[in-house]
Amino acid sequence: MARSLARRRLLLTGAALGAGTAVGPLGPAARAAAAASGRWPDRFPLPAGFRPEGIAVGPGPYAWFGSLGGGSLYRVSLATGRGTIVPTGTDAMSVGLKTDRHGRAFIAGGTSRQLRVVDTRSGRILATYEVGAASTMVNDVVLTPGAAWFTDSTHAQVYGLPLGPRGELPPARDVVTLRLTGEWAEAPDDGFTSNGIAPTPDGRALLVVNVFQDGGSLLRVDPRTGDARRVDLGTTRLPDGDGVLLLGRTLYVVQQKQNAVDVLHLDAGGRRGGAVRRITDPRFRIPTTVAAYGDRLYLPNARFDVDPTPSTEYDAVAVPR
């Protein structure tokens, strides 16, 4: 019964999925931050050998980075570019991550098969949930008012972590495994398929990048049933689609190996959209994910084109939104 009630609570939040993500006109504080960002660094180093993948911004002008090389996080002041390592007590990788107003980081644990929640102030792991099968790769995460949703890059499913009215974390038995059906196509033999995830602008569904299907597609997923339908993006394809960020009706899609961010405009339901522009920058070195603060986008350079070593240099860059 507890599981049924938790699932019902998670699914009923579907109508408000986008409330925590869509961003309206900048308020006074955000405008001040945007003005200040003109004096803030637009590039800052990350620790040598860190192997960044995910990024989250906030609360406040701080960025958090996860590492493919271990569970530690890296916290950076966007105002100064200076940062510090936050150990979390695990060596399991941290791929996609998002932070919430409670000072928590929700982390996709990659091949560890973990959904982790970490106290960003202390690095203490608040909860760990193990999901999927032996070949599972938990890749990315999006926070909504009632849940955290995680993609599984090697299986046709997403995982839902229902949150209580005050953000309370659920017991392990209440984690939802939502099978993707409908028009969803999965790469054979547990091949790499899904990547970034975001809500639709109206908050009623989820948008999931599928790098395998039809040369790279975006699919709209019903969070109640798992039914997936292709989003009509015209001729736009997302073969290297990685992290995504929804701001209003604008969806930013990082095309990592192309060293580019494709900017799409979607309808309210997330059923169709079109390319607005492409952001490129000579400082891009295979960026993977994107977060926003003020009038800037921030991206970590994963440098997947080089063999990682303890001395490999990494950085993050900012570009105008």
Side-chain angles (χ1 to χ4, degrees):
M1 178 61 71
R3 186 171 194 169
S4 174
L5 290 174
R7 180 177 176 86
R8 185 180 306 169
R9 183 173 68 247
L10 181 146
L11 298 181
L12 287 174
T13 61
L17 275 174
T21 305
V23 175
L26 295 177
R31 285 196 296 271
S37 70
R39 301 186 297 274
W40 294 357
D42 60 6
R43 177 190 175 277
F44 44 84
L46 303 178
F50 186 71
R51 300 180 63 192
E53 212 283 353
I55 181 175
V57 168
Y62 296 94
W64 298 86
F65 296 88
S67 170
L68 295 177
S72 293
L73 303 178
Y74 188 64
R75 178 183 185 267
V76 177
S77 165
L78 298 179
T80 66
R82 292 192 293 269
T84 184
I85 290 282
V86 180
T88 64
T90 179
D91 293 328
M93 66 171 60
S94 300
V95 192
L97 74 157
K98 293 292 185 294
T99 50
D100 71 0
R101 61 187 178 86
H102 301 291
R104 303 178 298 189
F106 290 73
I107 299 172
T111 55
S112 72
R113 300 166 50 195
Q114 294 177 352
L115 321 179
R116 290 196 301 276
V117 186
V118 171
D119 184 321
T120 56
R121 291 172 287 265
S122 65
R124 182 170 64 93
I125 296 176
L126 302 175
T128 300
Y129 307 88
E130 189 171 293
V131 295
S135 57
T136 284
M137 165 123 185
V138 186
N139 193 316
D140 207 355
V141 56
V142 65
L143 292 179
T144 70
W149 291 96
F150 299 77
T151 56
D152 183 336
S153 289
T154 52
H155 295 83
Q157 54 203 28
V158 295
Y159 306 107
L161 196 63
L163 305 175
R166 297 178 179 84
E168 298 92 340
L169 300 176
R173 67 177 181 271
D174 287 342
V175 175
V176 172
T177 298
L178 185 66
R179 182 76 180 170
L180 301 178
T181 60
E183 295 179 351
W184 185 268
E186 189 77 6
D189 302 320
D190 295 334
F192 194 97
T193 303
S194 64
N195 209 322
I197 184 170
T200 55
D202 65 5
R204 295 183 179 277
L206 299 166
L207 298 170
V208 179
V209 173
N210 184 319
V211 298
F212 164 76
Q213 189 167 350
D214 299 322
S217 301
L218 185 67
L219 282 94
R220 181 185 187 275
V221 175
D222 187 325
R224 298 166 299 174
T225 65
D227 181 65
R229 300 292 159 178
R230 276 193 59 184
V231 179
D232 181 2
L233 298 179
T235 60
T236 298
R237 294 293 179 267
L238 308 173
D240 302 306
D242 200 331
V244 296
L245 173 68
L246 180 74
L247 299 177
R249 292 192 184 183
T250 300
L251 186 72
Y252 298 89
V253 182
V254 181
Q255 296 254 44
Q256 45 154 284
K257 293 180 183 178
Q258 299 179 39
N259 284 316
V261 180
D262 283 336
V263 185
L264 311 175
H265 183 74
L266 304 176
D267 67 1
R271 292 180 172 84
R272 60 183 57 85
V276 175
R277 60 173 297 207
R278 167 167 276 209
I279 300 171
T280 59
D281 192 287
R283 299 169 300 159
F284 285 170
R285 295 187 291 179
I286 309 190
T288 46
T289 47
V290 58
Y293 188 81
D295 60 354
R296 285 180 167 187
L297 302 175
Y298 290 87
L299 304 95
N301 280 316
R303 304 194 66 189
F304 288 154
D305 56 338
V306 301
D307 292 329
T309 71
S311 60
T312 301
E313 295 181 352
Y314 295 100
D315 65 356
V317 298
V319 295
R321 212 169 81 183

